Amino acid sequence: MCRNIKPLFNFDPPATDEEIHDAALQFVRKLSGTTRPSKRNEAAFEHAVMSIAKCAKELLNSLETSQPPRDRDEVAAKARARSAIRFA
């Protein structure tokens, strides 16, 4: 759906509250079609971000896997390599 929302499950160390909030913010921005809500819609926008972040955290905490946790540095290096090839 949105390239800026990254998978947050099964990492060591686990996703932080800030990462979850950032993903929720990006999701709400995508749905609303705006990066900054008007003053009139600011409260609804922030409420949506907080609600989605809470649900996302519950989801991440309840998921189970038999796979070993992924290494953040390794995943980032692979993404940089793909990007270098794509934009070379």
Side-chain angles (χ1 to χ4, degrees):
M1 181 181 113
C2 185
R3 291 182 214 188
N4 295 332
I5 298 177
K6 311 267 187 288
L8 298 176
F9 177 62
N10 198 26
F11 279 101
D12 188 28
T16 64
D17 289 341
E18 184 178 340
E19 289 173 313
I20 294 169
H21 177 272
D22 290 347
L25 177 61
Q26 197 64 28
F27 183 71
V28 171
R29 285 176 173 171
K30 186 71 169 185
L31 286 178
S32 67
T34 183
T35 57
R36 290 191 146 204
S38 65
K39 290 284 184 193
R40 176 182 274 182
N41 294 322
E42 204 169 75
F45 192 89
E46 190 58 32
H47 176 72
V49 171
M50 293 301 158
S51 296
I52 292 169
K54 181 182 175 199
C55 290
K57 187 169 185 160
E58 289 175 12
L59 173 66
L60 292 173
N61 289 336
S62 66
L63 291 174
E64 298 177 8
T65 183
S66 60
Q67 297 295 315
R70 296 178 284 176
D71 182 274
R72 290 177 179 277
D73 295 332
E74 188 177 305
V75 171
K78 287 179 184 178
R80 282 191 299 274
R82 283 191 308 270
S83 181
I85 291 169
R86 182 175 178 197
F87 296 109

